[in-house]
Amino acid sequence: MNNPYKQTTSHVEISQPPTDAVSEVAFSPKANFLAASSWDNEVRIWEIQGNGTSLGKAAFSHQSPALCCTWSRDGGKVVSGGADKAGRMIDMATGQTSQIAQHDGPIRCIKFVEAENASPILATAGWDKMLKYWDMRQPTPIATVNLPERAYAMDCNNPLLVVATAERKVLVFDMANPTTPFETADSPLKWQTRTVSCFTKKDGYVIASIEGRVGIQYVDPKMKDKSFSFKCHRDNDVPLKSTVHSINTVCHHPVYGTFATGANDGSFIFWDKDARQRLKAHSKLGGAVLSSAFSGDGKLFAYALGYDWAQGYKGNTSSVKNTIMLHAVGDEEVRPKPK
């Protein structure tokens, strides 16, 4: 997989980054356009050019912090959810913005969930303990699901949809039956869930927690015995004592199916779950890794740096900069090693 960005963008900062912490970064599946939602209420979109430079293309606002964002399958629209309890959308062709979803609490998660070549269906999940499905041409949801707790993380790779909530609950849906989970379980991890990401093969998901631990979970009952968990993003500088870091982001490489984790220790790591191997680590990046995403072709990796408030207001010093970085992905970093 030859990477034209490799010459110029080992780690390059994006132009005009958000002024507050980033909640989510998302690449268009069709072109090198990057969207980011931020605690400064804004959703911004950049075009990443062939030499690795970025050009601001569009922006729109929530009335409160923007907590999540994603792209439509055709790359024509960006949608976002916010603490203003609204789902909003920008049409990239016209620049028009509109409200396309509403909850009774902040919208924490937003994903398109339709099958390929089907009409767009949007899922939103919020702190009002609701999962809602929307046909964006209609003002009311086409279906709703009561969640056991507040939604913390969600991912979809149709027909698989995974919603993780407070109190370590995980709901797994088959989109053939989108209103009834075919599995509701406790997370395999003992501490609060931070993020989930569906396998590219759609047969399971990665879940990560505040306790520097990752769970590899298969959903097929016949594959359950292949599920496992492992520790990572921990510092063992002092004998018999380890510093444990929250893992804030997991995303899968679109070509190889390997995945990345990013954490509060200021590092991201590429992993091969099938070989149970760490492929490559990048550390000391200058802040907590808050969110990450691979481009549609897998050649670029975007990651947001900033402060996650893990140490309260005392940790919010001027030395931590809120920004987004681009890394040109070397094939050797993400390709599974031969067995």
Side-chain angles (χ1 to χ4, degrees):
M1 192 174 74
N2 184 38
N3 192 339
Y5 297 97
K6 196 69 183 161
Q7 308 308 315
T8 52
T9 55
S10 180
H11 296 269
V12 169
E13 186 175 16
I14 208 153
S15 66
Q16 298 175 294
T19 58
D20 204 341
V22 171
S23 54
E24 186 162 20
V25 292
F27 267 108
S28 164
K30 297 297 186 187
N32 279 340
F33 284 79
L34 180 72
S37 52
S38 168
W39 282 79
D40 65 5
N41 302 7
E42 294 283 311
V43 181
R44 296 171 175 82
I45 298 117
W46 297 263
E47 181 180 2
I48 313 303
Q49 299 179 309
N51 60 1
T53 59
S54 49
L55 193 64
K57 294 297 283 186
F60 62 100
S61 300
H62 283 258
Q63 291 165 5
S64 298
L67 302 178
C68 52
C69 66
T70 195
W71 290 80
S72 59
R73 280 180 179 271
D74 63 4
K77 297 175 178 65
V78 174
V79 294
S80 57
D84 56 0
K85 309 174 188 176
R88 303 186 187 276
M89 177 181 78
I90 186 169
D91 185 314
M92 293 298 292
T94 65
Q96 285 187 306
T97 58
S98 54
Q99 182 174 341
I100 39 83
Q102 181 73 42
H103 277 247
D104 293 329
I107 297 176
R108 180 65 185 90
C109 315
I110 194 162
K111 297 289 175 188
F112 282 94
V113 297
E114 74 279 0
E116 261 185 273
N117 303 319
S119 296
I121 300 293
L122 186 68
T124 54
W127 291 345
D128 57 356
K129 305 181 185 179
M130 295 296 292
L131 168 65
K132 298 185 180 186
Y133 298 102
W134 306 85
D135 175 338
M136 294 179 298
R137 296 166 297 190
Q138 300 175 19
T140 54
I142 53 176
T144 60
V145 181
N146 289 309
L147 300 173
E149 253 294 352
R150 291 153 291 157
Y152 281 175
M154 179 171 75
D155 195 27
C156 183
N157 192 352
N158 187 289
L160 178 65
L161 172 70
V162 181
V163 184
T165 73
E167 303 301 328
R168 299 175 42 253
K169 298 298 180 192
V170 181
L171 290 81
V172 180
F173 294 84
D174 179 346
M175 292 312 293
N177 185 13
T179 56
T180 307
F182 76 80
E183 180 179 270
T184 301
D186 288 340
S187 165
L189 312 177
K190 293 180 181 148
W191 296 85
Q192 179 185 312
T193 303
R194 285 291 285 135
T195 182
V196 293
S197 180
C198 295
F199 298 166
T200 52
K201 290 182 179 175
K202 311 180 183 188
D203 55 351
Y205 58 92
V206 179
I207 186 167
S209 75
I210 62 170
E211 189 227 353
R213 199 179 288 265
V214 169
I216 306 296
Q217 292 295 110
Y218 289 87
V219 294
D220 183 340
K222 298 189 190 104
M223 300 277 283
K224 288 280 189 189
D225 60 350
K226 286 185 68 178
S227 299
F228 67 97
S229 301
F230 64 95
K231 302 173 191 173
C232 53
H233 295 284
R234 296 176 175 217
D235 300 331
N236 298 304
D237 301 336
V238 181
L240 303 178
K241 183 180 178 184
S242 71
T243 305
V244 178
H245 298 278
S246 172
I247 299 169
N248 302 318
T249 175
V250 172
C251 60
H252 280 81
H253 191 273
V255 178
Y256 293 124
T258 49
F259 68 92
T261 57
N264 279 4
D265 59 354
S267 76
F268 63 84
I269 304 173
F270 298 139
W271 305 89
D272 176 0
K273 75 175 189 313
D274 299 323
R276 301 195 179 194
Q277 269 190 331
R278 185 170 89 160
L279 298 173
K280 177 72 176 178
H282 292 261
S283 58
K284 296 185 173 62
L285 299 170
V289 179
L290 305 176
S291 180
S292 64
F294 284 103
S295 59
D297 59 8
K299 293 180 179 179
L300 283 173
F301 180 74
Y303 59 96
L305 296 176
Y307 180 53
D308 71 338
W309 294 89
Q311 306 299 322
Y313 73 89
K314 290 178 182 172
N316 188 27
T317 66
S318 57
S319 64
V320 180
K321 182 181 179 183
N322 294 300
T323 192
I324 299 169
M325 304 294 290
L326 298 170
H327 169 62
V329 179
D331 208 45
E332 70 286 353
E333 295 183 286
V334 290
R335 187 180 61 238
K337 293 191 167 81
K339 293 193 169 93

